[in-house]
Amino acid sequence: MIRTISTEEITKNIRQMCIEANHYLSPDMEKTLKDAVETEESPLGKKILNQLQENLMIAGEEMIPICQDTGMAVVFVEIGQEVHLEGELLEDAVNEGVRQGYVDGFLRKSVVGDPILRENTKDNTPAVIHYSIVAGDKVKLTLAPKGFGSENMSRVFMLKPADGIEGVKQAILTAVKDAGPNACPPMVVGVGVGGTFEKCALLAKQALTRPVDEHSQNPYIKELEEEMLEKINRLGIGPGGLGGTITALAVNINTYPTHIAGLPVAINICCHVNRHVVREI
Amino acid sequence: MDKHITTPITAEVTQNLYAGDYIYISGTVYVARDAAHKRFMEALDRGEELPFPIQDAIIYYMGPSPAREGRSIGSAGPTTASRMDKYAPRLLDLGQKAMIGKGKRTQEVIDAIIRNQAVYFAAVGGAGALLSKCIKASELVCYGDLGAEAVLKLEVEDFPVVVVIDKDGNNLYETAIRKYAK
């Protein structure tokens, strides 16, 4: 059965999701950040984590964005193959939602229209949109505004198969160490392993949208996530990079088949303001 | 140690600031980030004056979100300071005494800090809602066309920062990490 969905509906939802994501963290992120206050050993680190708690409270109650960098809007659009979209072009509908959300929601416009000429587009469009066709008759939208303090510290490593899992571990630690205080720790580390050059980057970005209290279904990847979180937290970077035992809140790793000659690894670093809102239409 | 300081940040003030100190700043703070710094350099190259008095000034590397009605500013946390590393030494040599941002600095900036007895403060990244509560007034100085990157003059009250690099070049990012690395 074909189900018709109006792209106007998509605009409306994206608008609300932009505003929601920038003022409230998802319950999994909120809980993990709260728990971190108890675990942190450094007094200054604890103080900073408490300030982040207070910051979240003020953001939600007074409608002030959690972070002034309200990000570039990354949108995952999963379209059920039984869906018929009606109305304006889907891409325009998504961008219109972003425009309305950022303008009406008093969010910062951080997008320049050309990477070299650098003129601000003044409405935070265009979004970065990833489409996929899935089973079913629904449209699932995931909106993840991405700040660039942490985005700038993200890395892609084209490892050799011989580098193996140790190479992957080294790549993750290198990226996190280099990021240090620049990425606003405690961070969330999204990792993509496998695929091609661009696929591993996309896997890493998707990994950031997975709840931080959920591990990979794959048992050895789950173990790797736990091991890497422990190793990262032993680096000493700490909240704000000012020393401490909570440098990361989670390491989420997604994998994909790859070529006999390669082992691509991407590390997408996100700050503690790891924003994502999911809605199904 | 917790300390309260008031602008302007003279060499006398920086003499008593040490890496690791927790500081509350009150007074006037200028806001400028990437695009504004680029214009400062262009203005200086043309032999023009900077748009605000640089002597003993604090520059906060920040680009706020828009203010809702009745408020002085939106979310207002620090941005990554390393993007201003290219410009900072020249401004420090002209008299700027303090920078507020987050993240590592280059050796050139650290050398300029020592040379000019200046200081680099970090504010908590990602706490823009909380930090905005310490900003009592905000006015546009120039470059309004840059939107979020315009130069602003802020009046702040007990704005919380940590001394990361002090006048002697001590760097908290390096010492604190060593303390907690296992």
Side-chain angles (χ1 to χ4, degrees), chain B residues 138-152:
Chain B
S138 162
E139 66 176 88
L140 177 73
V141 174
C142 61
Y143 311 155
D145 61 302
L146 294 178
E149 292 198 74
V151 175
L152 308 175

PDB file of all heavy atoms in Angstrom, chain B residues 138-152:
ATOM      1  N   SER B 138      25.453  44.299  25.969  1.00  0.00           N
ATOM      2  CA  SER B 138      26.201  43.999  24.747  1.00  0.00           C
ATOM      3  C   SER B 138      25.894  45.071  23.712  1.00  0.00           C
ATOM      4  O   SER B 138      24.725  45.389  23.481  1.00  0.00           O
ATOM      5  CB  SER B 138      25.765  42.628  24.236  1.00  0.00           C
ATOM      6  OG  SER B 138      26.137  42.468  22.890  1.00  0.00           O
ATOM      7  N   GLU B 139      26.939  45.652  23.129  1.00  0.00           N
ATOM      8  CA  GLU B 139      26.674  46.595  22.034  1.00  0.00           C
ATOM      9  C   GLU B 139      27.598  46.315  20.858  1.00  0.00           C
ATOM     10  O   GLU B 139      28.720  45.827  21.037  1.00  0.00           O
ATOM     11  CB  GLU B 139      26.790  48.048  22.509  1.00  0.00           C
ATOM     12  CG  GLU B 139      28.177  48.475  22.913  1.00  0.00           C
ATOM     13  CD  GLU B 139      28.250  49.955  23.273  1.00  0.00           C
ATOM     14  OE1 GLU B 139      28.011  50.266  24.468  1.00  0.00           O
ATOM     15  OE2 GLU B 139      28.548  50.766  22.400  1.00  0.00           O
ATOM     16  N   LEU B 140      27.102  46.635  19.683  1.00  0.00           N
ATOM     17  CA  LEU B 140      27.866  46.414  18.463  1.00  0.00           C
ATOM     18  C   LEU B 140      28.949  47.484  18.358  1.00  0.00           C
ATOM     19  O   LEU B 140      28.676  48.663  18.495  1.00  0.00           O
ATOM     20  CB  LEU B 140      26.921  46.490  17.253  1.00  0.00           C
ATOM     21  CG  LEU B 140      27.577  46.360  15.881  1.00  0.00           C
ATOM     22  CD1 LEU B 140      28.022  44.931  15.624  1.00  0.00           C
ATOM     23  CD2 LEU B 140      26.608  46.811  14.784  1.00  0.00           C
ATOM     24  N   VAL B 141      30.186  47.037  18.104  1.00  0.00           N
ATOM     25  CA  VAL B 141      31.274  47.995  17.879  1.00  0.00           C
ATOM     26  C   VAL B 141      31.419  48.251  16.375  1.00  0.00           C
ATOM     27  O   VAL B 141      31.439  49.383  15.932  1.00  0.00           O
ATOM     28  CB  VAL B 141      32.606  47.472  18.477  1.00  0.00           C
ATOM     29  CG1 VAL B 141      33.760  48.405  18.124  1.00  0.00           C
ATOM     30  CG2 VAL B 141      32.487  47.316  19.985  1.00  0.00           C
ATOM     31  N   CYS B 142      31.510  47.157  15.598  1.00  0.00           N
ATOM     32  CA  CYS B 142      31.635  47.309  14.144  1.00  0.00           C
ATOM     33  C   CYS B 142      31.463  45.964  13.443  1.00  0.00           C
ATOM     34  O   CYS B 142      31.335  44.936  14.094  1.00  0.00           O
ATOM     35  CB  CYS B 142      33.004  47.897  13.780  1.00  0.00           C
ATOM     36  SG  CYS B 142      34.356  46.865  14.310  1.00  0.00           S
ATOM     37  N   TYR B 143      31.538  46.002  12.115  1.00  0.00           N
ATOM     38  CA  TYR B 143      31.431  44.815  11.247  1.00  0.00           C
ATOM     39  C   TYR B 143      30.085  44.088  11.431  1.00  0.00           C
ATOM     40  O   TYR B 143      30.033  42.852  11.488  1.00  0.00           O
ATOM     41  CB  TYR B 143      32.575  43.818  11.479  1.00  0.00           C
ATOM     42  CG  TYR B 143      33.973  44.398  11.491  1.00  0.00           C
ATOM     43  CD1 TYR B 143      34.994  43.742  12.183  1.00  0.00           C
ATOM     44  CD2 TYR B 143      34.292  45.574  10.809  1.00  0.00           C
ATOM     45  CE1 TYR B 143      36.295  44.244  12.210  1.00  0.00           C
ATOM     46  CE2 TYR B 143      35.596  46.080  10.831  1.00  0.00           C
ATOM     47  CZ  TYR B 143      36.589  45.419  11.541  1.00  0.00           C
ATOM     48  OH  TYR B 143      37.857  45.917  11.565  1.00  0.00           O
ATOM     49  N   GLY B 144      29.010  44.830  11.565  1.00  0.00           N
ATOM     50  CA  GLY B 144      27.680  44.245  11.732  1.00  0.00           C
ATOM     51  C   GLY B 144      27.313  43.301  10.594  1.00  0.00           C
ATOM     52  O   GLY B 144      26.536  42.358  10.783  1.00  0.00           O
ATOM     53  N   ASP B 145      27.909  43.539   9.421  1.00  0.00           N
ATOM     54  CA  ASP B 145      27.616  42.683   8.267  1.00  0.00           C
ATOM     55  C   ASP B 145      28.104  41.253   8.476  1.00  0.00           C
ATOM     56  O   ASP B 145      27.687  40.346   7.760  1.00  0.00           O
ATOM     57  CB  ASP B 145      28.265  43.265   6.995  1.00  0.00           C
ATOM     58  CG  ASP B 145      29.788  43.353   7.113  1.00  0.00           C
ATOM     59  OD1 ASP B 145      30.270  44.027   8.051  1.00  0.00           O
ATOM     60  OD2 ASP B 145      30.481  42.726   6.294  1.00  0.00           O
ATOM     61  N   LEU B 146      28.976  41.044   9.450  1.00  0.00           N
ATOM     62  CA  LEU B 146      29.494  39.689   9.687  1.00  0.00           C
ATOM     63  C   LEU B 146      28.537  38.834  10.525  1.00  0.00           C
ATOM     64  O   LEU B 146      28.822  37.672  10.801  1.00  0.00           O
ATOM     65  CB  LEU B 146      30.856  39.753  10.375  1.00  0.00           C
ATOM     66  CG  LEU B 146      32.017  40.351   9.563  1.00  0.00           C
ATOM     67  CD1 LEU B 146      33.289  40.373  10.412  1.00  0.00           C
ATOM     68  CD2 LEU B 146      32.264  39.550   8.284  1.00  0.00           C
ATOM     69  N   GLY B 147      27.412  39.408  10.917  1.00  0.00           N
ATOM     70  CA  GLY B 147      26.423  38.641  11.685  1.00  0.00           C
ATOM     71  C   GLY B 147      27.008  38.165  13.000  1.00  0.00           C
ATOM     72  O   GLY B 147      27.467  38.961  13.817  1.00  0.00           O
ATOM     73  N   ALA B 148      27.032  36.852  13.196  1.00  0.00           N
ATOM     74  CA  ALA B 148      27.521  36.264  14.453  1.00  0.00           C
ATOM     75  C   ALA B 148      29.000  36.557  14.685  1.00  0.00           C
ATOM     76  O   ALA B 148      29.518  36.348  15.774  1.00  0.00           O
ATOM     77  CB  ALA B 148      27.289  34.765  14.446  1.00  0.00           C
ATOM     78  N   GLU B 149      29.704  37.053  13.657  1.00  0.00           N
ATOM     79  CA  GLU B 149      31.133  37.318  13.795  1.00  0.00           C
ATOM     80  C   GLU B 149      31.449  38.804  14.005  1.00  0.00           C
ATOM     81  O   GLU B 149      32.613  39.216  13.931  1.00  0.00           O
ATOM     82  CB  GLU B 149      31.892  36.787  12.576  1.00  0.00           C
ATOM     83  CG  GLU B 149      31.878  35.274  12.495  1.00  0.00           C
ATOM     84  CD  GLU B 149      32.974  34.737  11.578  1.00  0.00           C
ATOM     85  OE1 GLU B 149      34.133  34.756  11.991  1.00  0.00           O
ATOM     86  OE2 GLU B 149      32.641  34.320  10.462  1.00  0.00           O
ATOM     87  N   ALA B 150      30.425  39.608  14.253  1.00  0.00           N
ATOM     88  CA  ALA B 150      30.633  41.044  14.451  1.00  0.00           C
ATOM     89  C   ALA B 150      31.433  41.304  15.725  1.00  0.00           C
ATOM     90  O   ALA B 150      31.501  40.454  16.610  1.00  0.00           O
ATOM     91  CB  ALA B 150      29.277  41.744  14.535  1.00  0.00           C
ATOM     92  N   VAL B 151      32.031  42.494  15.810  1.00  0.00           N
ATOM     93  CA  VAL B 151      32.776  42.880  17.016  1.00  0.00           C
ATOM     94  C   VAL B 151      31.802  43.505  18.014  1.00  0.00           C
ATOM     95  O   VAL B 151      31.046  44.412  17.676  1.00  0.00           O
ATOM     96  CB  VAL B 151      33.906  43.877  16.671  1.00  0.00           C
ATOM     97  CG1 VAL B 151      34.601  44.362  17.941  1.00  0.00           C
ATOM     98  CG2 VAL B 151      34.909  43.216  15.737  1.00  0.00           C
ATOM     99  N   LEU B 152      31.825  43.003  19.247  1.00  0.00           N
ATOM    100  CA  LEU B 152      30.911  43.482  20.287  1.00  0.00           C
ATOM    101  C   LEU B 152      31.703  43.990  21.485  1.00  0.00           C
ATOM    102  O   LEU B 152      32.846  43.577  21.719  1.00  0.00           O
ATOM    103  CB  LEU B 152      29.999  42.342  20.773  1.00  0.00           C
ATOM    104  CG  LEU B 152      29.209  41.535  19.747  1.00  0.00           C
ATOM    105  CD1 LEU B 152      28.489  40.384  20.457  1.00  0.00           C
ATOM    106  CD2 LEU B 152      28.210  42.415  19.015  1.00  0.00           C
TER     107      LEU B 152
END
